[in-house]
Amino acid sequence: MGLFNDLSANVLKSRVGITGAGILLCLVLVSAFTIIFIPLDTYKQWNNPSSWTLFPKSALPSWVNIFLAKKIPEHQILDNTSTTVQTGDNARKIMQSFETDYAFDYFPSDFIYQYTAKYQGTPVLEFDVTRPDGMTLHLLSYSLPNLKSRTVFSDKVFSTNESIRKNILLASDRFAFSIVSMPVEEVVFSKTDAHEVLKGKYTFVAKISTTDAQSIMDDSKLIIGGKVFGLIGTDEQRRDLAIGLLWGTPLALFIGITVSVVSVVSGLVYGVFAGYKGGKTDESMMRFNDIIYALPALPFLIILAVTISNSIFLMIGFLMIFGWVGIAKVSRSMALQIKNRQFVEASKAMGQKSSKIIFKHIIPQIMPYALASIAISVPAAITTEAGLSFLGLGDPSFPTWGQILHDASKHGAVTRGLWWWVIPPGIMITITGLAFVFVGNSLDTFRIKR
Amino acid sequence: MGLRRYLATRGIILFCVLMTTLLLTIMLVGSNMDVILKKGVSIQVRSEITENRALMGSFKDTKELDQFIQNSIDNRIKALGLDSPWYSPNRIGLSMYKIITLDFGHATFLSSDSGSSKVSDIILEKMPRTVLLFTTATIIISMIGIFLGALAGSRTGSKIDKATSAFAVISGSFPVWWIGMMMIFVFSFTLHLFPARATPLISPSDPGYIPALLYHMALPLITIILIGFGTWAYLVRNFMVNVMQEDFVTVKKTIGVAQRKIVFQSALKNVAPPIITVLALSLSGSLGGAIITEAVFDWPGMGRLYFEAISVMDLPVIIGATYVLTAFFLISIFVSDLLYGYLDPRIKTV
């Protein structure tokens, strides 16, 4: 293990090496965090639009508000803060309230109440809001559909609902301006004397009155629609981009490291074997190597992805096929030098098997070079996968960074100025690439020094 | 004699590569190709028969007509040799022969701007644009790279040397197509300086087409140069560092020849062979990278043609374009071998 200690000491000695190792450590931690704490379901549901309906469409990241004088409303998905249940002999009232402190300078784009209830009969749903100025607006009275036996029912109430609109119009004398043609949310969140946002605490209360004493309400949410959301924002299909980027990290590391390790190791063994054997074996092995070397890789990867399958595991395999040739050439020439050294000749004279000589004596000598090339060839694998995904040839079931950029370009994110959709994935690709190049370079200087 | 033998082996290997590529491509797309060809034949036969009124009148009912059409299709397929499976040696041999003689047939969906569906016409129309963009870019990149690399290599450890190396490593880590997206964002979305799509809207026959094309070329050109010159400078720098340690440079320094003269006249001349090899290789390498770059900028060249052909599975175009791209790639490898053998006398003695 002395070699590895030397190597890690060397990486940590140079400033570039420390930077690279530091970034790499961060990426590994992010991957571990994602795998442990982010539910696996979020990536399986990545391409399922119905699991993202609560999220806003193309929302900016929420930190942009720091730089803005007028704050853009944040998209809020509220769970109910309190549930009170009053049970009588033959009746039950369930009340759920949602609180939000609205401190933005623009009106929300809408609000949606999503609820799930288990009941029988025909309960009545009432929906009210109490504003910071103490005014209570009655939004909706609605009888839920009649159910003969106790069943689960879920539905959504949208702010564009026609009865909410009529109920609001009943309060038009309380406002100093005409609210007739205004969207509901702009009335609910408005000052009474002028059409401006009224900041402060809003409490939405949903009440279900039923004759069924055993009815239950759960899993209710109030969504106050905004235009900023989360750390990275959302895309056109309402997906939370932060989740996509987080899942992209372990995927990129997996693709990059698997491809480079397998191709470097197989190239190394191939090259050393050819160099050690020499003669006809060497000649024919190197001619085969030349042929693979001259094949145009990208067109082939594209044709393979189109005709065979775009599964991510097959793509990893294809990348390996084109990855080993360069390493094989270099390690062959290194083996040619090493095989004439005395200790190799000595073990040959002692009658050791050639496989033993190759693995025990020659390959350990080339190890520092191999480790450096593993690190240096990781970025190429990641960018090639990202490029193929960007062209739309990637595996759509995995949210890789290239896949996110492909979706972005498909929806014209660049020409529409949706920068938060385009910049972060590219930065992640670049940072990951740089980290490996830094580590690889500091390993390489170690090899040259030796 | 040594040089001739070296070039002969290289030539044979590259020809083998070309044939392997072709064979692999045909094998990969062969079964799909077969289905499409047969469908094409049946459509053709059907329309020929239905257009022939006299023949149509001679049938008693639709059953007889269907029977006749089916027979004609079978005959035509047999006549074209499509009845044997696509992997039979005859069929593969025939299609390889056709491709080698540059007979790519007709495209299934795509057509050239002038309306021809012949694959060779389409490729001939797109090729010059790719060559225009990438050759211009490579020439500019190499000029900047050689100048900067020579400067950095002659003053190792200086600020310019460190900056060049750092820029090379960092710019090499960015995916070109992502930088392309950012450039479109900055220069066409925010600043409105250049068009976002690189395809001119006016028709190619218009006299203003060429200036429009050049204007649309600016953004992809700048992007490719920005990403490419760092690596070049770094390469030239490394060659240069070696040459600057040679005796003749030390001698010139001691007799008082100006540093600039040594670097740009004597030393650069000695770095020429590897630089020219790299130039030839990077020219051909850029053609492969063209697929993604052209897709981002919507540049109407070979790369985008290839991308379009893949998205609609236009197999004759895919095969034709793969062949031409591979051929270009191999020709430039061969030329670089040739130049290397010519410029570096050591190869002749091997």
Side-chain angles (χ1 to χ4, degrees):
Chain A
M1 284 282 94
L3 175 68
F4 287 92
N5 286 339
D6 282 0
L7 283 172
S8 56
N10 193 67
V11 168
L12 294 177
K13 225 186 294 168
S14 74
R15 215 189 302 160
V16 171
I18 291 178
T19 320
I23 302 173
L24 215 56
L25 187 70
C26 290
L27 290 170
V28 171
L29 289 178
V30 166
S31 307
F33 170 82
T34 310
I35 292 165
I36 297 167
F37 292 106
I38 307 283
L40 197 63
D41 220 34
T42 50
Y43 112 72
K44 285 188 182 152
Q45 297 295 322
W46 182 250
N47 286 310
N48 180 7
S50 62
S51 64
W52 299 98
T53 48
L54 298 185
F55 292 79
K57 202 173 186 176
S58 313
L60 285 153
S62 52
W63 48 261
V64 292
N65 269 336
I66 300 171
F67 306 102
L68 296 173
K70 287 188 131 193
K71 308 295 179 209
I72 302 173
E74 196 167 323
H75 187 89
Q76 303 177 63
I77 302 171
L78 302 169
D79 289 314
N80 53 322
T81 39
S82 69
T83 309
T84 45
V85 183
Q86 298 171 0
T87 316
D89 289 339
N90 239 340
R92 187 171 230 205
K93 269 188 185 171
I94 307 170
M95 273 189 4
Q96 287 184 325
S97 62
F98 301 88
E99 278 177 15
T100 174
D101 196 7
Y102 199 81
F104 306 104
D105 293 295
Y106 300 93
F107 290 106
S109 51
D110 58 352
F111 57 84
I112 301 165
Y113 172 56
Q114 186 192 37
Y115 62 94
T116 305
K118 194 176 175 192
Y119 65 90
Q120 68 178 17
T122 50
V124 174
L125 170 74
E126 282 176 282
F127 197 40
D128 297 326
V129 55
T130 307
R131 296 154 33 106
D133 57 3
M135 188 204 292
T136 301
L137 286 172
H138 180 60
L139 296 174
L140 182 70
S141 296
Y142 173 68
S143 41
L144 302 187
N146 186 7
L147 296 179
K148 293 272 181 316
S149 60
R150 193 169 294 123
T151 332
V152 175
F153 175 78
S154 50
D155 198 11
K156 284 175 191 156
V157 178
F158 293 91
S159 55
T160 47
N161 187 312
E162 206 42 48
S163 356
I164 295 186
R165 195 175 163 68
K166 279 175 187 153
N167 284 327
I168 287 291
L169 283 179
L170 291 178
S172 60
D173 54 333
R174 298 199 218 177
F175 290 88
F177 49 91
S178 163
I179 60 169
V180 174
S181 56
M182 272 177 199
V184 168
E185 63 276 2
E186 290 195 14
V187 180
V188 171
F189 287 87
S190 171
K191 288 180 183 164
T192 48
D193 49 350
H195 186 52
E196 280 169 26
V197 176
L198 175 67
K199 295 181 189 177
K201 202 175 90 177
Y202 288 80
T203 313
F204 287 80
V205 178
K207 190 161 60 179
I208 282 193
S209 318
T210 163
T211 50
D212 172 20
Q214 277 167 319
S215 52
I216 308 167
M217 265 185 105
D218 51 21
D219 196 30
S220 302
K221 282 189 171 64
L222 180 73
I223 295 118
I224 297 178
K227 292 193 178 64
V228 300
F229 182 81
L231 204 58
I232 315 281
T234 59
D235 67 6
E236 185 77 7
Q237 282 148 299
R238 300 168 186 274
R239 296 181 290 205
D240 185 356
L241 287 170
I243 298 219
L245 286 186
L246 281 177
W247 277 114
T249 317
L251 282 172
L253 290 183
F254 172 71
I255 295 169
I257 292 173
T258 323
V259 170
S260 65
V261 166
V262 174
S263 42
V264 166
V265 168
S266 48
L268 187 75
V269 174
Y270 186 93
V272 169
F273 185 77
Y276 178 77
K277 282 281 171 183
K280 282 261 162 59
T281 326
D282 180 29
E283 178 80 15
S284 53
M285 280 175 87
M286 282 301 117
R287 286 300 87 88
F288 178 68
N289 185 302
D290 281 346
I291 289 177
I292 306 274
Y293 191 76
L295 283 181
L298 196 64
F300 257 106
L301 286 170
I302 291 174
I303 292 180
L304 286 167
V306 170
T307 52
I308 297 181
S309 150
N310 59 1
S311 144
I312 203 157
F313 300 103
L314 269 173
M315 196 193 280
I316 288 175
F318 297 147
L319 286 173
M320 288 168 187
I321 293 176
F322 291 102
W324 61 272
V325 267
I327 315 292
K329 263 191 171 173
V330 181
S331 47
R332 168 185 171 267
S333 64
M334 289 178 145
L336 282 181
Q337 292 170 356
I338 295 170
K339 80 167 179 185
N340 293 327
R341 297 238 190 104
Q342 280 178 340
F343 64 93
V344 178
E345 305 241 305
S347 43
K348 221 192 262 177
M350 280 159 62
Q352 271 192 340
K353 268 192 281 177
S354 29
S355 63
K356 207 166 183 188
I357 295 176
I358 287 175
F359 285 103
K360 282 252 154 126
H361 299 297
I362 300 182
I363 286 184
Q365 296 287 317
I366 313 181
M367 220 46 205
Y369 162 75
L371 287 173
S373 5
I374 286 178
I376 288 173
S377 59
V378 169
I382 294 177
T383 35
T384 312
E385 190 279 332
L388 286 172
S389 298
F390 176 73
L391 287 179
L393 303 167
D395 197 332
S397 47
F398 292 88
T400 62
W401 297 327
Q403 199 69 40
I404 294 174
L405 283 170
H406 167 69
D407 290 337
S409 107
K410 204 172 69 186
H411 288 98
V414 168
T415 44
R416 290 165 54 199
L418 312 178
W419 51 268
W420 61 94
W421 196 357
V422 181
I423 296 178
I427 290 188
M428 291 303 283
I429 295 174
T430 310
I431 285 184
T432 313
L434 274 181
F436 281 102
V437 170
F438 283 171
V439 171
N441 275 352
S442 55
L443 285 173
D444 214 36
T445 52
F446 173 72
R447 176 178 68 88
I448 291 164
K449 262 187 246 158
R450 282 217 325 179
Chain B
M1 198 56 208
L3 180 63
R4 211 178 284 167
R5 213 186 135 204
Y6 164 77
L7 288 179
T9 2
R10 291 300 294 167
I12 291 167
I13 286 173
L14 294 178
F15 185 73
C16 287
V17 172
L18 191 60
M19 292 301 106
T20 321
T21 314
L22 210 51
L23 196 64
L24 281 173
T25 319
I26 292 173
M27 280 163 73
L28 283 168
V29 298
S31 57
N32 288 323
M33 184 87 176
D34 212 36
V35 176
I36 290 174
L37 277 177
K38 279 182 185 157
K39 215 179 268 171
V41 167
S42 75
I43 290 169
Q44 201 185 349
V45 169
R46 214 171 277 269
S47 72
E48 272 171 25
I49 292 173
T50 43
E51 272 165 27
N52 189 340
R53 289 254 170 94
L55 191 64
M56 283 291 283
S58 65
F59 295 110
K60 278 184 234 138
D61 52 11
T62 50
K63 212 182 230 174
E64 201 173 330
L65 175 69
D66 283 348
Q67 187 67 37
F68 182 77
I69 289 175
Q70 197 52 51
N71 281 341
S72 321
I73 291 173
D74 289 347
N75 285 338
R76 182 75 61 90
I77 283 176
K78 203 167 272 176
L80 287 172
L82 291 177
D83 54 336
S84 53
W86 63 269
Y87 44 81
S88 71
N90 268 340
R91 292 273 311 273
I92 289 186
L94 187 69
S95 28
M96 295 223 354
Y97 170 75
K98 273 189 174 170
I99 292 167
I100 292 169
T101 54
L102 299 179
D103 173 12
F104 302 123
H106 288 265
T108 331
F109 306 104
L110 301 174
S111 66
S112 70
D113 292 340
S114 53
S116 166
S117 73
K118 263 182 86 177
V119 175
S120 46
D121 285 349
I122 301 178
I123 291 177
L124 271 180
E125 187 184 77
K126 310 283 183 195
M127 198 70 194
R129 295 178 193 154
T130 298
V131 172
L132 173 72
L133 174 59
F134 286 91
T135 314
T136 320
T138 311
I139 290 170
I140 298 177
I141 284 175
S142 60
M143 286 194 323
I144 302 177
I146 289 171
F147 180 76
L148 211 62
L151 217 58
S154 60
R155 293 180 213 160
T156 39
S158 67
K159 262 184 194 157
I160 190 163
D161 180 29
K162 279 180 183 159
T164 307
S165 308
F167 185 79
V169 170
I170 291 171
S171 70
S173 295
F174 283 102
V176 185
W177 43 274
W178 181 70
I179 291 293
M181 291 173 93
M182 299 315 300
M183 295 292 273
I184 294 174
F185 181 71
V186 173
F187 288 103
S188 53
F189 178 76
T190 315
L191 301 175
H192 300 287
L193 276 179
F194 295 108
R197 294 183 70 227
T199 310
L201 293 172
I202 47 180
S203 90
S205 51
D206 197 281
Y209 184 74
I210 294 189
L213 195 70
L214 290 178
Y215 172 57
H216 284 77
M217 193 171 96
L219 205 53
L221 190 67
I222 294 171
T223 310
I224 301 170
I225 293 171
L226 208 61
I227 283 295
F229 81 86
T231 324
W232 253 92
Y234 191 59
L235 220 64
V236 175
R237 173 210 174 262
N238 288 348
F239 293 141
M240 205 65 187
V241 169
N242 287 332
V243 173
M244 289 303 279
Q245 288 162 352
E246 302 252 349
D247 292 341
F248 77 94
V249 175
T250 328
V251 170
K252 287 206 171 187
K253 264 185 201 163
T254 39
I255 60 171
V257 180
Q259 167 92 356
R260 181 177 299 176
K261 223 171 172 186
I262 301 177
V263 173
F264 288 102
Q265 289 184 357
S266 327
L268 215 50
K269 223 179 270 171
N270 280 272
V271 195
I275 288 181
I276 289 173
T277 328
V278 177
L279 185 69
L281 277 180
S282 69
L283 254 181
S284 64
S286 66
L287 289 180
I291 297 171
I292 303 182
T293 316
E294 288 188 5
V296 172
F297 288 105
D298 215 5
W299 177 253
M302 282 292 284
R304 207 190 64 174
L305 172 74
Y306 202 83
F307 179 61
E308 279 176 352
I310 283 160
S311 38
V312 297
M313 276 307 272
D314 197 325
L315 298 171
V317 179
I318 295 179
I319 293 180
T322 311
Y323 180 75
V324 173
L325 280 179
T326 314
F328 258 81
F329 181 64
L330 298 177
I331 288 170
S332 48
I333 290 185
F334 189 69
V335 169
S336 77
D337 283 344
L338 205 75
L339 283 173
Y340 206 85
Y342 177 72
L343 291 167
D344 193 341
R346 279 169 294 185
I347 212 87
K348 289 175 195 162
T349 56
V350 172

